[in-house]
Each structure stands twice: as C-alpha cells, then as structure tokens.
Amino acid sequence: MEKTIRIGTRDSELALWQAHTVQNKLNDLGYKTEIIAVKSQGDIILDKPLYELGITGIFTKTLDIAMINGQVDIAVHSMKDVPTALPIGIVQAAVLERANVLDILVYKHDKEFLDQQATIATGSLRRQAQWLFKYPNHSVVDLRGNVNTRMQKLQDNDWNGAVFAAAGLERININPELFINLDWMIPAPAQGAMVVVAMGNDDFTLEAVSQLNDIETEVCTYIERQFLKTLEGGCTAPIGAVARYNEEQDSIDFKGVLLSIDGKKKLEVDKIVPIEAWKKLGFYAAQEILEKGGNEIMIEIRAQLKPNA
C-alpha cells in the first residue's frame, strides 16, 4: 500500500505556505500527503536575540527530532535557516526553484531618515552589520518573531524601518506600501530558496521528493552554503553570499561578504567562473576571505557570540 507522506513544518503562516506548496506539488504527482505543524524553540523564545540562544538550527531542530522519531517523513524549511551540516541520517531531498533573493527595507513615513540619525530593526546579524557599514550613524535594534509579528512590531514601535526578506513577504501576500529594495545588501546564503529534507533510508519518500528539485537553485545554494561552511559561520554570523547562473556566458557569478558584528570591518569577494568550476567555488571564495583577514574577524565573532560570554 502506498504510504501517506507526512510533511513536518513550523506553524507560522510563511512556514505553512511553504509546506502547502510542497504538498500541492506532491499531490499533483499523485502522492498522498498530510501536514503536521510543530512549534520550534525559535518561535517560542522571542525575548532573546537568536545568537544569544547559542543553538545552531534553532528553527529546524524540532522538526529534525520529529523526523528521526518517525513522526514526520519530510520537513520543509527556508533554506537559509538550515545548518550547513544536517543531523546524521537526514539528507537534502530537494531544493525548489528559488524566489526573490533580495532583502527589503519596510519603512513608515518617508525616506529622509536615511540621511539622518535613525533606528532600524532586524534580528539578523548579517543585516545589522551591512546596515551599520553603510549607515554608521544609525542604531539597530533586535526584532524577532514570524513575518506577521515583526511587521506588527514595526508599526507598534517608534523605529524608522525594518529589514525583511522579500521572498517571505511575497509568499504570504504582504505588500508594504513603503519599501526599498536593498540591492546593495548581500543576502543570506540560500535566501529565497526552500529545501525539503528527509531520512536517508526512506527510498519511497526520497524518490517522490526528488522530482521537485530545481538543479540551478541546487547548484547556486550549494556554492553559497559551501562558502558559509568554509568560513565556519552558523546561521547567525554576519556572512552574505549569492551565486547566480549566467546563461549567456554559461558561468556562475558569485558575491560573498564577511563583516564584523559592528559593521566596521568588511571583506568582500566577487568571482565569475565557468560553470564546470562550480563545485569548489564557495570553498575558494571563502579561503580568499580568510586570507584577507577573515580569520581574525571570525575569531572575534566567535568570542562575541559565545553563550554567557
């Protein structure tokens, strides 16, 4: 008898949208599915910045445990939330076609604050560091919660604006009236991509889910996550990376960045390589950053992020 594929997801509106997207695609292929929603610690503990919790993969851990315990067959994640090393027994089953990779600034009144003193909200050290590098006279405050919660907090506080992933807002049809595309900000590795993970020994599920894989997105996110992994940065370190396939040149365009948490130090790498050189691109780009002084910045970051330091 054909089994029902149980889809594990967080219970936020965005996470459920992602799970339903995967469900619909599997249903279209003729598979039976069921959605099982669980709360992660990252959704429950909202009064501390992510880096203070000292847990890698705080949004994915609960679903990993549910999968290992046999409560769900697959889990659907925003790929940027997934640690570069998956738990033993769990494998990447598919990466769906990527959405918008950009970050956007949602603001409340007018854009004049950009040239003055201002307060910007974000829970991401990557966004904080890049913002402070560009706007050193601004203040950045922590902002946690799902997309809807963060949008409400922006309205309830006297902040000038807050930074969001464009893809997250687009997926749940939040269309802010006042926003700026931050095309100068390097996104998180794998931003805009959804990943499905499964147990490595579940042949039926792996075969089903593999049909959802988008090879171009898989290659580009692999490069970005390899860059992240080589720098030894968890989800919270100020590291950005974006790879794009250039069809005309049959090449990969890659940009990577590492910053100090206060945004005062910034190291960038910009590479274009032929498509056949993609497998080590993230590694070599990260090595270049480390040799330019990135090693010292990473040591400094790890000391600052050490729990109870």
Side-chain angles (χ1 to χ4, degrees):
M1 182 180 143
E2 189 177 278
K3 74 172 187 175
T4 298
I5 298 172
R6 297 164 299 168
I7 303 169
T9 176
R10 292 159 59 194
D11 64 355
S12 71
E13 185 181 357
L14 176 57
L16 287 166
W17 181 94
Q18 294 178 162
H20 282 294
T21 299
V22 169
Q23 181 179 47
N24 292 338
K25 288 178 182 293
L26 288 172
N27 290 349
D28 288 346
L29 292 167
Y31 293 99
K32 295 175 189 167
T33 58
E34 175 191 1
I35 286 182
I36 296 172
V38 295
K39 269 204 185 295
S40 75
Q41 275 184 287
D43 294 313
I44 297 164
I45 307 169
L46 298 180
D47 58 346
K48 283 188 178 179
L50 279 179
Y51 61 86
E52 279 187 19
L53 298 176
I55 304 169
T56 304
I58 190 158
F59 291 120
T60 60
K61 205 169 200 173
T62 311
L63 289 170
D64 292 340
I65 293 166
M67 212 180 327
I68 290 165
N69 288 343
Q71 296 162 286
V72 300
D73 299 301
I74 63 174
V76 184
H77 300 296
S78 292
M79 200 174 187
K80 68 184 175 73
D81 293 335
V82 178
T84 51
L86 293 173
I88 293 168
I90 295 177
V91 297
Q92 180 175 304
V95 187
L96 277 66
E97 186 178 354
R98 196 173 207 167
N100 192 337
V101 303
L102 291 181
D103 289 301
I104 67 170
L105 177 76
V106 179
Y107 62 96
K108 290 196 288 194
H109 304 300
D110 55 54
K111 290 188 280 190
E112 286 176 15
F113 68 86
L114 289 172
D115 302 317
Q116 303 162 3
Q117 286 196 324
T119 302
I120 303 300
T122 174
S124 157
L125 289 182
R126 173 190 59 83
R127 291 169 178 155
Q128 170 186 303
Q130 290 189 77
W131 192 272
L132 290 174
F133 181 83
K134 188 171 176 70
Y135 299 104
N137 59 325
H138 286 187
S139 300
V140 176
V141 295
D142 187 55
L143 177 59
R144 294 286 317 287
N146 63 44
V147 173
N148 306 78
T149 302
R150 282 180 283 144
M151 200 62 84
Q152 189 58 51
K153 285 182 179 177
L154 172 60
Q155 298 310 316
D156 295 344
N157 285 276
D158 59 358
W159 309 325
N160 298 89
V163 186
F164 294 84
L169 300 186
E170 288 166 8
R171 281 170 175 157
I172 58 173
N173 292 317
I174 291 180
N175 302 302
E177 209 173 303
L178 303 172
F179 71 92
I180 303 166
N181 280 317
L182 303 178
D183 50 10
W184 53 266
M185 185 176 277
I186 307 292
Q191 184 157 307
M194 289 160 48
V195 65
V196 183
V197 295
M199 296 302 294
N201 59 3
D202 185 351
D203 293 339
F204 175 85
T205 301
L206 290 173
E207 165 62 26
V209 174
S210 68
Q211 297 171 69
L212 310 185
N213 193 59
D214 180 75
I215 189 67
E216 186 179 318
T217 305
E218 181 190 5
V219 166
C220 289
T221 53
Y222 177 91
I223 293 164
E224 295 159 17
R225 284 164 63 78
Q226 187 183 62
F227 177 78
L228 176 67
K229 188 174 186 176
T230 307
L231 290 177
E232 297 184 347
C235 296
T236 50
I239 294 168
V242 63
R244 291 186 174 93
Y245 174 59
N246 183 326
E247 199 169 348
E248 280 181 29
Q249 306 289 330
D250 200 26
S251 63
I252 297 284
D253 301 351
F254 178 81
K255 288 183 192 292
V257 66
L258 168 67
L259 299 99
S260 58
I261 288 172
D262 60 10
K264 289 180 178 169
K265 298 175 198 160
K266 179 183 180 186
L267 296 171
E268 284 184 285
V269 62
D270 201 332
K271 287 189 169 302
I272 299 174
V273 304
I275 188 66
E276 57 268 21
W278 71 269
K279 278 198 174 173
K280 284 285 190 178
L281 173 55
F283 172 79
Y284 289 133
Q287 288 295 337
E288 200 173 299
I289 290 272
L290 290 169
E291 285 161 16
K292 288 198 290 193
N295 211 28
E296 291 76 13
I297 292 178
M298 284 307 302
I299 289 167
E300 184 186 297
I301 289 167
R302 281 193 285 270
Q304 286 174 273
L305 298 186
K306 195 183 284 183
N308 306 316

